[in-house]
């Protein structure tokens, strides 16, 4: 028997959906939070991101099922009224999946993290200086609030607020966007977002201070000293989502941002 677990937003709507889901799966799948085959995330994109990081170590085995109960829910493929449909798909022998690449950030060749949406180097207290290299070639010295490097799946998240491009999900790219860059006759950096294919890597050298942070999706880590960050598309790790064919990327764009 296949196993599942539920990561749920702590509000009434999500908790009610959790109960319904447990009833629908009773006798068909076993609840197991340690080594699940399916991780059902009930909430918004924030809850889905949390569940991805919670099951990061199992990322190549687990299938994520995003049930929307919250505010935006751009990444969640199933609406609250689609619970039965989601359960039917989960019970299929070979359910239709969609795959999303993860980013990897290497810190000083000592530590590595995975990111789904983006990696940010930020400082909202004082001007942050970041030396940016593409594949070891120096591009620019950025000055401003920070740098955001997103993957395709993160293009609709922080990157979108920065004026970056929305990337169609079948393209696997890295996107470098500035967070409030300073541009005048003394300080110059690209300004526009730069999109690179997933073969490239971006290195950011940062002279960190007490206010510099490394942001990885919803997590933040202090960067108190000089550090090199290499951000690339992870060569193998992908997040697998249970697909809802009725919920296309275009329909999600319309629903989330246009109507
Ligand atoms: P959060 O409150 O969990 O998320 C902030 C908003 O971003 C929520 O409305 C969330 O949707 C939405 N979101 C997250 N991932 C998305 C994606 N891939 N596509 C479209 N929308 C997405 O905030 P958090 O815990 O601090 O950070 C989680 C993520 O939120 C970060 O990775 C970052 O991308 C994003 N964020 C954006 C801004 C900004 O745009 N200025 C600021 C902070 C964080 P739900 O409402 O469905 O959860």
């Amino acid at each position: 028997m296949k196993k599942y677990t539920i990561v749920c937003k702590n509000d009434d709507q999500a908790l009610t959906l959790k109960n319904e889901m447990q009833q629908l799966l009773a006798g068909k799948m076993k609840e197991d939070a340690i080594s699940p085959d399916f991780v059902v995330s009930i909430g918004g994109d924030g809850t889905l991101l949390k569940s991805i990081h919670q099951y990061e170590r199992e990322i190549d085995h687990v299938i994520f099922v995003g049930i929307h109960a919250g505010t935006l829910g751009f990444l969640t493929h199933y609406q609250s009224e689609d619970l039965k449909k989601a359960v039917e798909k989960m019970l299929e022998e070979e359910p239709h999946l969609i795959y999303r690449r993860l980013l990897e950030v290497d810190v000083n060749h000592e530590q590595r993290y995975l990111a789904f949406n983006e990696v940010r180097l930020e400082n909202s207290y004082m001007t942050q200086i970041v030396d940016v290299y593409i594949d070891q070639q120096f591009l620019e010295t950025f000055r401003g609030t920070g740098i955001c490097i997103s993957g395709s799946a993160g293009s609709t998240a922080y990157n979108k607020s920065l004026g970056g491009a929305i990337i169609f999900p079948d393209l696997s790219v890295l996107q470098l966007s500035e967070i409030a860059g300073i541009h005048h006759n003394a300080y110059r950096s690209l300004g526009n977002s730069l999109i690179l294919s997933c073969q490239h890597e971006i290195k950011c050298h940062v002279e960190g201070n007490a206010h510099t942070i490394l942001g990885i999706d919803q997590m933040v880590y202090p960067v108190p000293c000089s550090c090199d960050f290499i951000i690339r598309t992870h060569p193998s790790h992908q997040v697998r989502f249970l697909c809802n064919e009725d919920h296309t990327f275009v329909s999600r764009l319309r629903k989330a941002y246009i109507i």
Side-chain angles (χ1 to χ4, degrees):
M1 196 185 267
K2 293 250 165 121
K3 295 165 285 174
Y4 77 99
T5 189
I6 299 180
V7 176
C8 186
K9 191 176 174 182
N10 192 19
D11 70 17
D12 289 347
Q13 189 199 0
L15 291 167
T16 307
L17 287 170
K18 179 180 176 179
N19 262 325
E20 284 176 33
M21 193 79 180
Q22 284 168 323
Q23 282 169 23
L24 287 168
L25 284 168
K28 299 181 181 119
M29 270 197 205
K30 203 174 134 198
E31 222 169 331
D32 179 349
I34 308 293
S35 60
D37 300 295
F38 292 92
V39 174
V40 180
S41 163
I42 305 180
D45 296 334
T47 312
L48 191 53
L49 277 180
K50 186 179 149 201
S51 61
I52 291 169
H53 286 288
Q54 198 170 325
Y55 286 92
E56 216 175 86
R57 286 174 187 207
E58 275 74 42
I59 211 76
D60 297 325
H61 316 291
V62 157
I63 297 171
F64 291 88
V65 184
I67 311 280
H68 181 224
T71 44
L72 176 64
F74 188 78
L75 301 169
T76 51
H77 270 240
Y78 291 88
Q79 301 303 305
S80 50
E81 60 274 16
D82 296 331
L83 275 194
K84 272 194 185 150
K85 185 176 174 181
V87 168
E88 280 166 18
K89 296 255 173 203
M90 286 166 75
L91 295 169
E92 281 177 13
E93 197 66 42
E94 284 187 22
H96 181 188
L97 304 180
I98 53 170
Y99 296 78
R100 296 287 174 260
R101 307 284 294 267
L102 283 164
L103 303 182
E104 174 183 65
V105 52
D106 170 310
V107 187
N108 282 341
H109 300 300
E110 286 166 2
Q111 242 171 328
R112 285 183 182 192
Y113 301 93
L114 292 176
F116 181 80
N117 274 343
E118 78 274 310
V119 176
R120 307 176 309 274
L121 292 160
E122 288 183 278
N123 189 330
S124 47
Y125 278 70
M126 58 185 72
T127 301
Q128 183 61 53
I129 302 177
V130 184
D131 290 328
V132 180
Y133 299 77
I134 310 287
D135 302 330
Q136 311 290 338
Q137 271 190 74
F138 178 67
L139 173 71
E140 62 183 13
T141 294
F142 165 88
R143 290 178 176 81
T145 300
I147 288 284
C148 169
I149 296 161
S150 53
S152 307
S155 70
T156 46
Y158 203 138
N159 171 71
K160 183 177 182 294
S161 303
L162 300 172
I166 293 178
I167 306 292
F168 226 74
D170 54 359
L171 284 176
S172 181
V173 299
L174 286 176
Q175 182 165 189
L176 171 73
S177 295
E178 295 188 355
I179 308 171
I182 304 173
H183 304 120
H184 53 48
N185 60 10
Y187 297 162
R188 291 179 203 95
S189 55
L190 210 51
N192 300 81
S193 289
L194 180 67
I195 298 175
L196 303 89
S197 78
C198 62
Q199 284 86 4
H200 298 285
E201 57 181 37
I202 300 173
K203 182 172 102 177
C204 296
H205 174 78
V206 169
E207 291 300 327
N209 58 53
H211 305 292
T212 309
I213 59 143
L214 165 67
I216 295 177
D217 299 340
Q218 73 275 43
M219 286 112 39
V220 287
Y221 303 93
V223 183
C225 52
S226 168
C227 274
D228 282 339
F229 299 88
I230 300 172
I231 298 106
R232 53 174 85 92
T233 306
H234 194 282
S236 58
H237 290 326
Q238 304 195 62
V239 186
R240 305 188 301 162
F241 293 102
L242 189 73
C243 178
N244 178 357
E245 291 84 357
D246 300 334
H247 203 47
T248 64
F249 189 67
V250 174
S251 71
R252 280 185 286 144
L253 281 180
R254 266 193 76 71
K255 190 160 171 265
Y257 305 116
I258 297 168
I259 33 178

